[in-house]
Amino acid sequence: MNCTCNVFRRLSRPMLTAETRKFNGRRFMNNTLQSFSMEGKVCVVTGAAGGLGKTFCRAFAESGCNSLAILDLKHEEAQAAAEELKTAVERTKKDMPDFVGIQCDISSEDSVRDAFSQVMSRWGRVDAVVANAGIIHNISALEYPADKMKRLYDINVHGTMFTAREAAKNMIPAGKGNIVLIASAGGSVVSTPQAQTPYNTWKAAVKHLAANLAVEWAEKGLRVNSLSPGYMLTDLLKSIIATDDNGLKDIWESMTPMKRMGNPDDLKGAIVYLCSDASKFVTGLDLRVDGGYTVL
Ligand SMILES: NC(=O)c1ccc[n+]([C@@H]2O[C@H](COP(=O)([O-])OP(=O)(O)OC[C@H]3O[C@@H](n4cnc5c(N)ncnc54)[C@H](O)[C@@H]3O)[C@@H](O)[C@H]2O)c1
């Protein structure tokens, strides 16, 4: 009788691991679906010295990732971001995080190749890659200088392709890997009132790039998805809003069903979902995280 009760008690206990984690002083219990864990995964994020890329890195670190490469044009900022994350995350002594900042210009195929070879010599494999680096100009189509238009394409489209391709070359021998391309809500709808036709058009190309690569590489064990954020309150956008006299924030919020701009943290769940086993039957998806902006 006693024995049955003990078994029953054991079975009715929630399946929690005893381990807890601290991030920026807050304590987390690992009592969520194990498939969302990034533990043991080698992650690479481009354009991650600041902005959304840095938030993606935090999301991976908070989800257990201990091997993380922060690729950015700005080497010192990338190294500083790696150090900042290392001190923000608390691990046990035998589980210390290995986060590194690597210089990389995604518009140069050689530079991307070199950055990935540094990742491979450090960890011997790569599991999740986020092609996040990108730039934007707000210039009307009639006045857009051709050289700027080409530079935008070189970074936002060619750079994203170089990143995805180099990631795939290093993942295919292992027969698995997740690649996420950061597109934009502007790749699905025309964002107004600011003029950004080439940006929106090239972001539509990024979305379609993800879908095409997903099909090309599905049988090699790779998944490729895109993530399209709406208007996110990064430091950069905050500074633009602070000096804007045209009521841009009010206009964008009024055009968003949820009536607010996103916080970078709003993307954490989506990036971990796409890069973890939680989405293991998902490929070729464009996941929009935009408060409903693209639904209208
Ligand atoms: N912030 C938003 O509201 C928003 C919305 C939708 C999509 N996005 C997309 O998200 C991504 C990140 O945007 P963000 O707002 O964080 O931008 P950001 O300007 O804050 O950060 C971009 C980072 O990319 C780096 N970078 C620029 N050119 C590079 C290059 N050639 N090679 C390597 N690194 C380079 C920069 O140094 C910087 O650290 C971009 O692709 C952007 O288009 C942003």
Side-chain angles (χ1 to χ4, degrees), residues 47 51-52 72-73 104-106 132 182-184 199 203 229-230 232 237:
L52 300 185
D72 205 284
L73 201 53
C104 175
D105 175 359
I106 60 156
N132 163 76
I182 303 305
S184 168
Y199 175 86
K203 284 295 186 182
M232 309 306 293
L237 266 193

Side-chain angles (χ1 to χ4, degrees), residues 116 120 124-129 164-179 213-224:
F116 272 88
M120 292 304 285
R125 61 170 217 284
V126 55
D127 300 302
V129 171
R165 185 162 64 177
E166 210 50 39
K169 282 182 190 164
N170 288 293
M171 288 169 172
I172 285 169
K176 62 185 169 88
N178 289 321
I179 300 170
L213 297 179
V215 174
E216 275 205 43
W217 297 337
E219 290 185 40
K220 300 187 188 303
L222 272 51
R223 299 193 289 110
V224 188

Side-chain angles (χ1 to χ4, degrees), residues 30-134:
N30 281 343
N31 58 350
T32 186
L33 272 179
Q34 195 53 38
S35 57
F36 279 89
S37 172
M38 296 301 288
E39 278 178 48
K41 295 199 191 294
V42 176
C43 300
V44 174
V45 185
T46 67
L52 300 185
K54 197 162 149 193
T55 301
F56 297 144
C57 292
R58 288 186 81 98
F60 292 149
E62 287 175 19
S63 303
C65 166
N66 267 353
S67 310
L68 174 67
I70 294 175
L71 274 49
D72 205 284
L73 201 53
K74 300 172 189 154
H75 194 195
E76 278 178 21
E77 278 92 330
Q79 287 172 318
E83 287 309 312
E84 186 191 316
L85 268 182
K86 255 191 252 174
T87 54
V89 70
E90 189 185 276
R91 301 282 201 252
T92 59
K93 269 206 181 114
K94 65 177 178 56
D95 195 26
M96 290 305 279
D98 184 13
F99 300 159
V100 62
I102 296 175
Q103 204 279 335
C104 175
D105 175 359
I106 60 156
S107 67
S108 150
E109 195 176 7
D110 286 345
S111 175
V112 175
R113 200 175 291 132
D114 178 63
F116 272 88
S117 81
Q118 291 184 51
V119 170
M120 292 304 285
S121 19
R122 197 175 187 103
W123 294 298
R125 61 170 217 284
V126 55
D127 300 302
V129 171
V130 183
N132 163 76

